[in-house]
Each structure stands twice: as C-alpha cells, then as structure tokens.
Amino acid sequence: HDKLVAANAIGNLLIMCEYDDRQVQCAATRALANFAANRARHEQLLEAGCLKIMIAVLNVCDADVNMFSALFFSILCENESLHAAVCSAHVIQPLFHFVVAADTNSKLKLKLETVRYAVLALANLASSAYA
C-alpha cells in the first residue's frame, strides 16, 4: 500500500470513480474498498475526500459499483472513531435506500451482497452515539 499511496493512488482512484465508464468505476470502488480494509489507511481515505465521492457513487445505477461502494462503507464503519465523520457526510440515507429498494419492486437491480454490506454499515453505525 505504501508505494500506491506515494503514487497518489487514492486521489487517482477517486477521479476514476467519477468516470462515465462503469467498468472503470467498478474497478476504482473495488480498489478503494481494498484500501479501506487496511485500518491504517482510514484517515488518508477521509483526508483525500473519499466520503463525498463514495456517497455519490452509491447513487450510480450499476450493481457492481453499488456493491463495492457499500462494501467500502461496511468496512469503514467498523472503525468507531470514524462514525462522526461518516454520519456527518450523510451516508445513512443512501445506505437505507439499498435496504428499502431490496424490499420493494424497485427498478434498482441490487446484488444481495450490496444489501448485506449496507445493513452491516448501518449496524456498525448503530453502535455509536454519533449515528
């Protein structure tokens, strides 16, 4: 990770999250979820502006992009020290959108994993006084 961070990988991946190409967005959100798996990178992810962009990516109409962005938040929300920042970024409603969409006749095509990751992120936030 150190060499990737030194090469501004996080910043470049965030730029790729905003591409119109869904395959590029999918690969970028997957890579950011992998970065989130390393708790030592959480502050760097926040400092780079990940919350705003990854919340926007939650609204992309692509099952894989949705799954990896929900995975990103499920991992990040395991870190209670980030709950205040995550909640302040207004991620709760987009995550609930996945849960509600899975239970209705929504046109949004979701993978079951997306709903599970969204519920996991919400459950982790529910354990906090900041949510």
Side-chain angles (χ1 to χ4, degrees), residues 16-36:
M16 288 184 239
C17 283
E18 295 181 312
Y19 280 17
D20 288 332
D21 185 308
R22 296 296 183 244
Q23 290 179 334
V24 171
Q25 283 183 323
C26 181
T29 55
R30 180 179 180 185
L32 288 167
N34 286 337
F35 267 108

PDB file of all heavy atoms in Angstrom, residues 16-36:
ATOM      1  N   MET A  16     -11.250   8.328 -10.872  1.00  0.00           N
ATOM      2  CA  MET A  16     -11.833   7.249 -11.686  1.00  0.00           C
ATOM      3  C   MET A  16     -13.256   6.907 -11.252  1.00  0.00           C
ATOM      4  O   MET A  16     -14.064   6.472 -12.071  1.00  0.00           O
ATOM      5  CB  MET A  16     -10.945   6.012 -11.620  1.00  0.00           C
ATOM      6  CG  MET A  16      -9.662   6.156 -12.383  1.00  0.00           C
ATOM      7  SD  MET A  16      -8.724   4.619 -12.338  1.00  0.00           S
ATOM      8  CE  MET A  16      -7.229   5.189 -11.572  1.00  0.00           C
ATOM      9  N   CYS A  17     -13.570   7.130  -9.980  1.00  0.00           N
ATOM     10  CA  CYS A  17     -14.938   6.883  -9.503  1.00  0.00           C
ATOM     11  C   CYS A  17     -15.945   7.789 -10.198  1.00  0.00           C
ATOM     12  O   CYS A  17     -17.127   7.466 -10.263  1.00  0.00           O
ATOM     13  CB  CYS A  17     -15.024   7.113  -7.992  1.00  0.00           C
ATOM     14  SG  CYS A  17     -14.351   5.788  -7.004  1.00  0.00           S
ATOM     15  N   GLU A  18     -15.479   8.902 -10.724  1.00  0.00           N
ATOM     16  CA  GLU A  18     -16.379   9.852 -11.368  1.00  0.00           C
ATOM     17  C   GLU A  18     -16.409   9.699 -12.893  1.00  0.00           C
ATOM     18  O   GLU A  18     -17.091  10.454 -13.577  1.00  0.00           O
ATOM     19  CB  GLU A  18     -15.967  11.268 -10.969  1.00  0.00           C
ATOM     20  CG  GLU A  18     -16.151  11.492  -9.475  1.00  0.00           C
ATOM     21  CD  GLU A  18     -15.771  12.879  -9.021  1.00  0.00           C
ATOM     22  OE1 GLU A  18     -14.675  13.363  -9.396  1.00  0.00           O
ATOM     23  OE2 GLU A  18     -16.580  13.480  -8.300  1.00  0.00           O
ATOM     24  N   TYR A  19     -15.683   8.727 -13.436  1.00  0.00           N
ATOM     25  CA  TYR A  19     -15.719   8.459 -14.873  1.00  0.00           C
ATOM     26  C   TYR A  19     -17.114   7.995 -15.276  1.00  0.00           C
ATOM     27  O   TYR A  19     -17.857   7.445 -14.471  1.00  0.00           O
ATOM     28  CB  TYR A  19     -14.721   7.357 -15.251  1.00  0.00           C
ATOM     29  CG  TYR A  19     -13.276   7.779 -15.379  1.00  0.00           C
ATOM     30  CD1 TYR A  19     -12.794   8.972 -14.855  1.00  0.00           C
ATOM     31  CD2 TYR A  19     -12.376   6.957 -16.019  1.00  0.00           C
ATOM     32  CE1 TYR A  19     -11.467   9.327 -14.967  1.00  0.00           C
ATOM     33  CE2 TYR A  19     -11.031   7.303 -16.133  1.00  0.00           C
ATOM     34  CZ  TYR A  19     -10.592   8.490 -15.608  1.00  0.00           C
ATOM     35  OH  TYR A  19      -9.274   8.827 -15.729  1.00  0.00           O
ATOM     36  N   ASP A  20     -17.435   8.172 -16.537  1.00  0.00           N
ATOM     37  CA  ASP A  20     -18.707   7.682 -17.065  1.00  0.00           C
ATOM     38  C   ASP A  20     -18.678   6.184 -17.339  1.00  0.00           C
ATOM     39  O   ASP A  20     -19.716   5.554 -17.447  1.00  0.00           O
ATOM     40  CB  ASP A  20     -19.076   8.425 -18.351  1.00  0.00           C
ATOM     41  CG  ASP A  20     -19.497   9.856 -18.084  1.00  0.00           C
ATOM     42  OD1 ASP A  20     -20.010  10.133 -16.979  1.00  0.00           O
ATOM     43  OD2 ASP A  20     -19.316  10.701 -18.978  1.00  0.00           O
ATOM     44  N   ASP A  21     -17.513   5.619 -17.468  1.00  0.00           N
ATOM     45  CA  ASP A  21     -17.352   4.200 -17.767  1.00  0.00           C
ATOM     46  C   ASP A  21     -17.596   3.381 -16.493  1.00  0.00           C
ATOM     47  O   ASP A  21     -16.862   3.498 -15.514  1.00  0.00           O
ATOM     48  CB  ASP A  21     -15.939   3.952 -18.294  1.00  0.00           C
ATOM     49  CG  ASP A  21     -15.719   2.530 -18.757  1.00  0.00           C
ATOM     50  OD1 ASP A  21     -16.013   1.584 -17.981  1.00  0.00           O
ATOM     51  OD2 ASP A  21     -15.228   2.352 -19.884  1.00  0.00           O
ATOM     52  N   ARG A  22     -18.624   2.540 -16.501  1.00  0.00           N
ATOM     53  CA  ARG A  22     -18.998   1.765 -15.317  1.00  0.00           C
ATOM     54  C   ARG A  22     -17.932   0.751 -14.920  1.00  0.00           C
ATOM     55  O   ARG A  22     -17.758   0.460 -13.743  1.00  0.00           O
ATOM     56  CB  ARG A  22     -20.342   1.043 -15.534  1.00  0.00           C
ATOM     57  CG  ARG A  22     -21.520   1.967 -15.712  1.00  0.00           C
ATOM     58  CD  ARG A  22     -21.767   2.794 -14.447  1.00  0.00           C
ATOM     59  NE  ARG A  22     -22.940   3.610 -14.603  1.00  0.00           N
ATOM     60  CZ  ARG A  22     -22.934   4.943 -14.607  1.00  0.00           C
ATOM     61  NH1 ARG A  22     -21.809   5.603 -14.465  1.00  0.00           N
ATOM     62  NH2 ARG A  22     -24.035   5.622 -14.744  1.00  0.00           N
ATOM     63  N   GLN A  23     -17.214   0.199 -15.886  1.00  0.00           N
ATOM     64  CA  GLN A  23     -16.162  -0.767 -15.545  1.00  0.00           C
ATOM     65  C   GLN A  23     -15.019  -0.073 -14.810  1.00  0.00           C
ATOM     66  O   GLN A  23     -14.445  -0.639 -13.874  1.00  0.00           O
ATOM     67  CB  GLN A  23     -15.656  -1.479 -16.795  1.00  0.00           C
ATOM     68  CG  GLN A  23     -16.679  -2.436 -17.363  1.00  0.00           C
ATOM     69  CD  GLN A  23     -16.191  -3.129 -18.610  1.00  0.00           C
ATOM     70  OE1 GLN A  23     -15.347  -2.627 -19.349  1.00  0.00           O
ATOM     71  NE2 GLN A  23     -16.739  -4.315 -18.863  1.00  0.00           N
ATOM     72  N   VAL A  24     -14.700   1.143 -15.214  1.00  0.00           N
ATOM     73  CA  VAL A  24     -13.666   1.913 -14.519  1.00  0.00           C
ATOM     74  C   VAL A  24     -14.149   2.250 -13.111  1.00  0.00           C
ATOM     75  O   VAL A  24     -13.404   2.102 -12.136  1.00  0.00           O
ATOM     76  CB  VAL A  24     -13.298   3.182 -15.303  1.00  0.00           C
ATOM     77  CG1 VAL A  24     -12.386   4.091 -14.490  1.00  0.00           C
ATOM     78  CG2 VAL A  24     -12.646   2.823 -16.633  1.00  0.00           C
ATOM     79  N   GLN A  25     -15.406   2.685 -13.005  1.00  0.00           N
ATOM     80  CA  GLN A  25     -15.964   2.988 -11.678  1.00  0.00           C
ATOM     81  C   GLN A  25     -15.941   1.754 -10.783  1.00  0.00           C
ATOM     82  O   GLN A  25     -15.616   1.846  -9.601  1.00  0.00           O
ATOM     83  CB  GLN A  25     -17.402   3.487 -11.792  1.00  0.00           C
ATOM     84  CG  GLN A  25     -17.528   4.912 -12.240  1.00  0.00           C
ATOM     85  CD  GLN A  25     -18.980   5.334 -12.250  1.00  0.00           C
ATOM     86  OE1 GLN A  25     -19.873   4.566 -12.580  1.00  0.00           O
ATOM     87  NE2 GLN A  25     -19.208   6.581 -11.893  1.00  0.00           N
ATOM     88  N   CYS A  26     -16.289   0.629 -11.331  1.00  0.00           N
ATOM     89  CA  CYS A  26     -16.320  -0.617 -10.564  1.00  0.00           C
ATOM     90  C   CYS A  26     -14.923  -0.964 -10.051  1.00  0.00           C
ATOM     91  O   CYS A  26     -14.745  -1.280  -8.871  1.00  0.00           O
ATOM     92  CB  CYS A  26     -16.874  -1.743 -11.429  1.00  0.00           C
ATOM     93  SG  CYS A  26     -16.990  -3.311 -10.558  1.00  0.00           S
ATOM     94  N   ALA A  27     -13.932  -0.888 -10.914  1.00  0.00           N
ATOM     95  CA  ALA A  27     -12.561  -1.207 -10.505  1.00  0.00           C
ATOM     96  C   ALA A  27     -12.065  -0.215  -9.451  1.00  0.00           C
ATOM     97  O   ALA A  27     -11.400  -0.610  -8.486  1.00  0.00           O
ATOM     98  CB  ALA A  27     -11.640  -1.204 -11.722  1.00  0.00           C
ATOM     99  N   ALA A  28     -12.405   1.052  -9.604  1.00  0.00           N
ATOM    100  CA  ALA A  28     -11.956   2.074  -8.651  1.00  0.00           C
ATOM    101  C   ALA A  28     -12.619   1.883  -7.291  1.00  0.00           C
ATOM    102  O   ALA A  28     -11.947   1.973  -6.254  1.00  0.00           O
ATOM    103  CB  ALA A  28     -12.255   3.470  -9.208  1.00  0.00           C
ATOM    104  N   THR A  29     -13.920   1.610  -7.275  1.00  0.00           N
ATOM    105  CA  THR A  29     -14.594   1.411  -5.986  1.00  0.00           C
ATOM    106  C   THR A  29     -14.100   0.135  -5.315  1.00  0.00           C
ATOM    107  O   THR A  29     -13.956   0.087  -4.089  1.00  0.00           O
ATOM    108  CB  THR A  29     -16.131   1.375  -6.132  1.00  0.00           C
ATOM    109  OG1 THR A  29     -16.509   0.384  -7.092  1.00  0.00           O
ATOM    110  CG2 THR A  29     -16.683   2.721  -6.553  1.00  0.00           C
ATOM    111  N   ARG A  30     -13.806  -0.869  -6.095  1.00  0.00           N
ATOM    112  CA  ARG A  30     -13.257  -2.110  -5.528  1.00  0.00           C
ATOM    113  C   ARG A  30     -11.890  -1.842  -4.900  1.00  0.00           C
ATOM    114  O   ARG A  30     -11.603  -2.305  -3.792  1.00  0.00           O
ATOM    115  CB  ARG A  30     -13.142  -3.171  -6.617  1.00  0.00           C
ATOM    116  CG  ARG A  30     -12.596  -4.474  -6.108  1.00  0.00           C
ATOM    117  CD  ARG A  30     -12.527  -5.498  -7.208  1.00  0.00           C
ATOM    118  NE  ARG A  30     -11.996  -6.743  -6.679  1.00  0.00           N
ATOM    119  CZ  ARG A  30     -11.724  -7.791  -7.416  1.00  0.00           C
ATOM    120  NH1 ARG A  30     -11.953  -7.780  -8.711  1.00  0.00           N
ATOM    121  NH2 ARG A  30     -11.234  -8.885  -6.881  1.00  0.00           N
ATOM    122  N   ALA A  31     -11.048  -1.097  -5.597  1.00  0.00           N
ATOM    123  CA  ALA A  31      -9.722  -0.786  -5.072  1.00  0.00           C
ATOM    124  C   ALA A  31      -9.818   0.046  -3.794  1.00  0.00           C
ATOM    125  O   ALA A  31      -9.073  -0.185  -2.833  1.00  0.00           O
ATOM    126  CB  ALA A  31      -8.898  -0.046  -6.123  1.00  0.00           C
ATOM    127  N   LEU A  32     -10.745   1.000  -3.754  1.00  0.00           N
ATOM    128  CA  LEU A  32     -10.911   1.813  -2.542  1.00  0.00           C
ATOM    129  C   LEU A  32     -11.434   0.974  -1.385  1.00  0.00           C
ATOM    130  O   LEU A  32     -11.039   1.187  -0.232  1.00  0.00           O
ATOM    131  CB  LEU A  32     -11.809   3.009  -2.826  1.00  0.00           C
ATOM    132  CG  LEU A  32     -11.154   4.084  -3.701  1.00  0.00           C
ATOM    133  CD1 LEU A  32     -12.184   5.072  -4.216  1.00  0.00           C
ATOM    134  CD2 LEU A  32     -10.041   4.795  -2.933  1.00  0.00           C
ATOM    135  N   ALA A  33     -12.303   0.013  -1.668  1.00  0.00           N
ATOM    136  CA  ALA A  33     -12.751  -0.906  -0.614  1.00  0.00           C
ATOM    137  C   ALA A  33     -11.563  -1.714  -0.090  1.00  0.00           C
ATOM    138  O   ALA A  33     -11.458  -1.962   1.113  1.00  0.00           O
ATOM    139  CB  ALA A  33     -13.848  -1.826  -1.136  1.00  0.00           C
ATOM    140  N   ASN A  34     -10.660  -2.098  -0.979  1.00  0.00           N
ATOM    141  CA  ASN A  34      -9.457  -2.812  -0.548  1.00  0.00           C
ATOM    142  C   ASN A  34      -8.567  -1.923   0.323  1.00  0.00           C
ATOM    143  O   ASN A  34      -8.008  -2.389   1.313  1.00  0.00           O
ATOM    144  CB  ASN A  34      -8.668  -3.335  -1.750  1.00  0.00           C
ATOM    145  CG  ASN A  34      -9.332  -4.535  -2.396  1.00  0.00           C
ATOM    146  OD1 ASN A  34     -10.100  -5.246  -1.768  1.00  0.00           O
ATOM    147  ND2 ASN A  34      -9.063  -4.741  -3.673  1.00  0.00           N
ATOM    148  N   PHE A  35      -8.435  -0.649  -0.035  1.00  0.00           N
ATOM    149  CA  PHE A  35      -7.688   0.283   0.808  1.00  0.00           C
ATOM    150  C   PHE A  35      -8.352   0.388   2.182  1.00  0.00           C
ATOM    151  O   PHE A  35      -7.676   0.450   3.206  1.00  0.00           O
ATOM    152  CB  PHE A  35      -7.617   1.678   0.177  1.00  0.00           C
ATOM    153  CG  PHE A  35      -6.402   1.907  -0.666  1.00  0.00           C
ATOM    154  CD1 PHE A  35      -6.514   1.974  -2.039  1.00  0.00           C
ATOM    155  CD2 PHE A  35      -5.150   2.079  -0.097  1.00  0.00           C
ATOM    156  CE1 PHE A  35      -5.400   2.204  -2.830  1.00  0.00           C
ATOM    157  CE2 PHE A  35      -4.033   2.310  -0.873  1.00  0.00           C
ATOM    158  CZ  PHE A  35      -4.148   2.372  -2.249  1.00  0.00           C
ATOM    159  N   ALA A  36      -9.675   0.434   2.210  1.00  0.00           N
ATOM    160  CA  ALA A  36     -10.403   0.566   3.479  1.00  0.00           C
ATOM    161  C   ALA A  36     -10.170  -0.642   4.387  1.00  0.00           C
ATOM    162  O   ALA A  36     -10.270  -0.521   5.607  1.00  0.00           O
ATOM    163  CB  ALA A  36     -11.896   0.756   3.215  1.00  0.00           C
TER     164      ALA A  36
END
